[in-house]
Amino acid sequence: MATPSKPIVVEWVGGNFVVWDFEASRWLYANGFYGMPIKVRKPKDLNFNSPLVLSPIEALYLLDKGVISIVDGDKVLSRSEVLSIVKSKHKLFNELYTVYCDLRSKGYVVRSGMKFGADFAVYVHGPGIDHAPFLVEVLPMNEKLDPVDIVRAGRLSHSVKKNFIIAMINPATNEVTYISFNWFKA
């Protein structure tokens, strides 16, 4: 991702990370499909004139990349202040963030997978260009997985024609391992 000449200002307001500048909103969306334009359900092109709302993971990621700065009123928030905010949003935030960063480093576009019952929907090219071929669920290394949950995930992912993948993080090395399930008829 090319970095803008100066960080894009994102405001922490009302529990959301908002990019008010329309040009900056379009730039972020065009350069990685970051955020969701307000009142634009599925942007078909980059001609939207709307603020952009970033997810907590996207906000921290873009802050870490030096693409954005985050303000709360007149105060510029430090990374540790932003981390405190985003960690309060999800109990597995560290694991989710690690997997998100790993997938982004591999060139994938990573979006929320909530509507599919997964942590992430992962695209090769991006929403509106292709369909997400992967649904990724982040599972802590020491957590048990109920076989019924695997069947549920498999049925859902199969019905929407996506591969179901479990991502696990080795706590000693912070390395991500992906396990993909293939479904077949016996």
Side-chain angles (χ1 to χ4, degrees):
M1 165 198 297
T3 306
S5 58
K6 62 180 184 165
I8 293 168
V9 176
V10 175
E11 186 176 8
W12 170 244
V13 59
N16 292 298
F17 296 97
V18 182
V19 181
W20 295 108
D21 180 284
F22 294 171
E23 188 176 320
S25 293
R26 288 188 297 269
W27 188 91
L28 284 168
Y29 197 80
N31 286 279
F33 297 95
Y34 295 100
M36 282 302 300
I38 295 174
K39 295 188 179 181
V40 180
R41 189 166 168 262
K42 286 186 175 182
K44 300 290 184 224
D45 56 37
L46 300 176
N47 293 324
F48 61 84
N49 287 314
S50 172
L52 193 73
V53 177
L54 298 171
S55 74
I57 287 177
E58 290 172 322
L60 185 62
Y61 180 79
L62 291 169
L63 180 67
D64 284 346
K65 295 291 182 188
V67 174
I68 66 171
S69 65
I70 300 173
V71 298
D72 184 1
D74 293 334
K75 181 181 189 248
V76 176
L77 299 178
S78 68
R79 184 188 192 281
S80 62
E81 290 169 316
V82 173
L83 185 59
S84 177
I85 291 168
V86 297
K87 277 184 149 184
S88 71
K89 300 289 181 191
H90 201 291
K91 69 176 186 160
L92 293 178
F93 183 82
N94 289 338
E95 291 86 349
L96 291 168
Y97 187 67
T98 299
V99 171
Y100 180 90
C101 291
D102 186 65
L103 289 166
R104 280 285 184 175
S105 75
K106 293 174 178 359
Y108 292 107
V109 174
V110 185
R111 307 289 295 186
S112 169
M114 186 182 303
K115 73 179 182 180
F116 300 111
D119 291 316
F120 300 119
V122 180
Y123 295 80
V124 173
H125 301 290
I129 297 172
D130 63 345
H131 292 279
F134 311 112
L135 295 178
V136 176
E137 185 68 22
V138 178
L139 183 70
M141 189 68 84
N142 58 354
E143 192 169 306
K144 293 181 181 177
L145 186 61
D146 188 325
V148 173
D149 290 335
I150 293 174
V151 172
R152 273 191 202 117
R155 288 183 59 85
L156 176 62
S157 62
H158 182 72
S159 71
V160 293
K161 298 182 173 120
K162 299 181 185 325
N163 293 319
F164 176 64
I165 297 171
I166 293 177
M168 295 182 299
I169 302 160
N170 182 325
T173 64
N174 222 28
E175 195 172 294
V176 182
T177 300
Y178 298 95
I179 301 169
S180 177
F181 290 83
N182 292 316
W183 309 99
F184 62 92
K185 291 182 182 180

